[in-house]
């Protein structure tokens, strides 16, 4: 074989060796590299073909690793989804914070509590969401010492929040979880209960003090003077009547609230019911030189507990007359819509302070201006229960010095 033939043979063999090397090493290695880069970019579905050459084991290991990572990521994503769903279904507001105090997660309840969307809150400093130094101190304590901290704060508008900060062990970027409990209703209930006890004590003390005074005066010798004794006994009798009325109204409220007194529904001529109520109160209005007027017609029949609605309207008219100066006017109007009967009692009286309006339907609650007046303080509570027991609503509108309007909306039963 000539030298040229040897050279050509060596060249051919080298070319074949190169092709074999490319096919069995370079090409599979590039595929493995491409799959690895895709995995690095987060494409956990990337896989490489399994070659038959020396890189088969490497490719199989890469594919197995990719499958394992994909499974772990899917499981982590599922757990994160479950956690987010659990936090979003809670009525309490949650915020996950990093070590720098930035919000990394906010649930739906937090959006509602602070009236901010999650995408506005996430990434912002916690202090931007709630600027309170006690809460920030609690966050730092939970982050640095691993301790759970609780803080009670009052926000504008008498909103009370209990903020609990809890460290998150092995939580990655999540360092502290802040939980917000809205205690506004609890605080308001406590306030109502305290006021209720105070008002009951006040209402009971007045007639009891009067009765005690009468008894002491009679015991000191006034009983021997028939005229004086008769006058004091009359006062005592009035105080006893006031106590009896108070107890009866309390018992009625208790029975209504417990459902022991069912509605006595019957076809009722609403216009006649209102006319009768206004007629009963005309003498009282005339004694105060007031104009009491009824504007109601063509109301038809309605399924009502006539006694309860009559008493509700009567209480409203009595209050209107009581707090309207002489020469003023009280107007009762009523109209029927396809859905309800709407009754309004308006007066030109002294009006109600805006701070008192939200609470005037509570038991024993009285505005300061009416504290010295008679009455048990239960009338408006009975009005509210009477209307609500029919599935209706009662509202009050008032401006100081310009009078008040109470609106009863009673659904029409079909």
């Amino acid at each position: 074989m000539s030298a040229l033939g040897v050279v050509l043979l060596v060249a051919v063999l080298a070319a074949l060796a190169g092709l074999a090397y490319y096919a069995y090493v370079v090409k599979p290695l590039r595929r493995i590299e491409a799959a690895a880069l895709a995995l690095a970019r987060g494409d956990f579905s990337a896989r490489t073909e399994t070659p038959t050459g020396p890189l088969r084991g490497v490719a199989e290991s890469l594919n197995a690793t990719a499958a394992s990572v994909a499974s772990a990521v899917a499981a982590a994503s599922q757990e994160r989804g479950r956690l987010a769903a659990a936090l979003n279904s809670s009525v309490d507001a949650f915020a996950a914070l990093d070590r720098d105090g930035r919000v990394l997660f906010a649930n739906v309840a937090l959006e509602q509590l602070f009236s901010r969307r999650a995408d506005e809150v996430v990434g912002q400093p916690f202090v931007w969401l709630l600027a309170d130094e006690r809460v920030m101190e609690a966050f730092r304590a939970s982050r640095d010492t691993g301790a759970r901290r609780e803080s009670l704060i009052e926000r504008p508008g008498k909103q009370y929040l209990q903020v609990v900060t809890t460290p998150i062990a092995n939580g990655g970027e999540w360092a502290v979880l802040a939980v917000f409990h809205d205690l506004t209703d609890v605080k308001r209930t406590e306030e109502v209960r305290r006021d209720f006890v105070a008002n009951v004590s006040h209402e009971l003390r007045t007639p009891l003090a009067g009765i005690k005074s009468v008894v002491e005066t009679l015991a000191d010798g006034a009983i021997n003077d028939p005229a004086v004794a008769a006058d004091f006994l009359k006062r005592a009798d009035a105080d006893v009547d006031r106590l009896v009325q108070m107890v009866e109204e309390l018992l009625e409220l208790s029975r209504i609230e417990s459902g022991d007194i069912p509605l006595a529904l019957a076809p009722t001529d609403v216009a006649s019911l209102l006319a009768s109520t206004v007629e009963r109160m005309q003498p009282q209005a005339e004694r105060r030189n007031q104009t009491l007027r009824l504007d109601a017609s063509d109301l038809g029949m309605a399924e009502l507990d006539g006694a309860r609605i009559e008493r509700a309207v009567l209480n409203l008219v009595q209050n209107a007359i009581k707090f309207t100066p002489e020469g003023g006017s009280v107007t009762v109007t009523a109209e029927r819509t396809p859905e309800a009967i709407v009754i309004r009692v308006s007066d030109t009286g002294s009006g109600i302070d805006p701070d008192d309006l939200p609470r005037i339907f509570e038991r024993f609650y009285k505005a300061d201006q009416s504290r010295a007046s008679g009455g048990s303080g239960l009338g408006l509570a009975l009005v509210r229960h009477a209307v609500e027991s029919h599935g209706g609503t009662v509202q009050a509108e008032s401006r100081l010095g310009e009078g008040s309007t109470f609106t009863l909306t009673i659904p029409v039963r079909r």
Side-chain angles (χ1 to χ4, degrees):
M1 180 180 292
S2 64
L4 180 59
V6 173
V7 171
L8 290 175
L9 178 61
V10 171
V12 170
L13 292 175
L16 291 174
L19 289 174
Y21 179 78
Y22 178 81
Y24 284 95
V25 177
V26 176
K27 189 175 181 181
L29 190 60
R30 289 181 176 176
R31 290 173 179 168
I32 292 172
E33 181 184 17
L37 290 174
L39 289 172
R41 291 193 297 266
D43 181 6
F44 301 111
S45 65
R47 300 291 186 274
T48 184
E49 295 181 8
T50 304
T52 57
L55 295 177
R56 178 183 181 88
V58 176
E60 289 177 344
S61 296
L62 179 64
N63 287 339
T65 301
S68 178
V69 171
S71 178
V73 170
S77 178
Q78 186 179 53
E79 287 300 320
R80 183 180 179 87
R82 289 174 178 172
L83 175 61
L87 294 179
N88 282 326
S89 65
S90 173
V91 296
D92 290 324
F94 287 86
L97 314 174
D98 65 12
R99 295 193 62 81
D100 295 328
R102 291 188 177 276
V103 180
L104 301 181
F105 172 83
N107 71 341
V108 174
L110 186 135
E111 292 181 326
Q112 298 170 347
L113 179 63
F114 292 99
S115 300
R116 296 181 184 275
R117 299 194 314 273
D119 57 2
E120 295 177 333
V121 174
V122 172
Q124 296 292 339
F126 185 46
V127 69
W128 177 80
L129 181 67
L130 184 62
D132 189 281
E133 183 57 30
R134 289 169 298 173
V135 177
M136 294 308 300
E137 288 179 1
F139 159 71
R140 288 189 288 267
S142 295
R143 178 195 62 188
D144 298 337
T145 67
R148 182 176 182 271
R149 291 287 187 266
E150 295 184 7
S151 307
L152 181 63
I153 63 172
E154 180 181 357
R155 300 182 70 211
K158 290 188 175 182
Q159 183 186 41
Y160 296 90
L161 294 179
Q162 182 189 44
V163 186
V164 181
T165 56
T166 305
I168 305 175
N170 302 319
E173 291 184 335
W174 289 21
V176 175
L177 186 67
V179 184
F180 304 83
H181 303 287
D182 190 347
L183 300 182
T184 304
D185 290 340
V186 175
K187 290 291 186 180
R188 186 175 294 116
T189 300
E190 291 177 355
E191 182 180 355
V192 169
R193 183 167 56 248
R194 287 195 301 269
D195 289 348
F196 175 75
V197 172
N199 290 331
V200 168
S201 301
H202 173 86
E203 296 300 333
L204 291 176
R205 184 172 61 247
T206 302
L208 288 175
I211 294 172
K212 181 176 176 59
S213 175
V214 167
V215 172
E216 291 176 347
T217 303
L218 292 176
D220 287 342
I223 194 172
N224 297 319
D225 186 331
V228 174
D231 179 59
F232 274 86
L233 288 174
K234 184 178 180 181
R235 296 182 188 180
D237 185 59
D239 285 331
V240 170
D241 286 343
R242 185 175 176 183
L243 285 173
V244 170
Q245 178 189 1
M246 190 184 309
V247 172
E248 288 179 346
E249 290 181 342
L250 272 175
L251 289 173
E252 182 177 356
L253 270 176
S254 177
R255 289 195 295 266
I256 291 174
E257 290 176 349
S258 64
D260 291 341
I261 305 180
L263 287 175
L265 297 175
T268 303
D269 186 335
V270 182
S272 296
L273 181 148
L274 295 177
S276 174
T277 304
V278 170
E279 184 178 354
R280 287 176 58 185
M281 298 305 301
Q282 278 291 358
Q284 185 173 336
E286 290 172 359
R287 285 195 296 271
R288 295 176 60 84
N289 193 29
Q290 295 173 348
T291 301
L292 176 58
R293 184 169 62 90
L294 172 64
D295 182 6
S297 60
D298 195 25
L299 298 176
M301 304 293 289
E303 286 283 327
L304 301 173
D305 186 330
R308 287 198 194 184
I309 298 302
E310 182 178 21
R311 181 166 184 177
V313 176
L314 187 66
N315 278 334
L316 292 178
V317 174
Q318 283 178 327
N319 281 348
I321 292 173
K322 182 189 303 182
F323 298 112
T324 297
E326 292 192 10
S329 63
V330 177
T331 304
V332 180
T333 61
E335 61 179 330
R336 184 172 188 141
T337 69
E339 295 80 22
I341 292 175
V342 181
I343 303 171
R344 294 183 177 87
V345 178
S346 304
D347 62 63
T348 58
S350 54
I352 303 170
D353 191 288
D355 293 337
D356 292 317
L357 271 178
R359 301 191 58 188
I360 59 175
F361 294 103
E362 296 174 10
R363 289 173 291 183
F364 287 111
Y365 187 84
K366 290 185 177 182
D368 290 340
Q369 61 176 336
S370 64
R371 177 63 69 183
S373 67
S376 65
L378 296 171
L380 291 181
L382 287 168
V383 170
R384 176 170 61 87
H385 281 289
V387 176
E388 290 182 352
S389 65
H390 286 77
T393 60
V394 56
Q395 295 178 320
E397 299 176 7
S398 183
R399 297 183 65 178
L400 284 176
E402 298 183 14
S404 306
T405 297
F406 288 80
T407 303
L408 312 183
T409 304
I410 306 169
V412 175
R413 297 177 181 267
R414 299 183 183 279

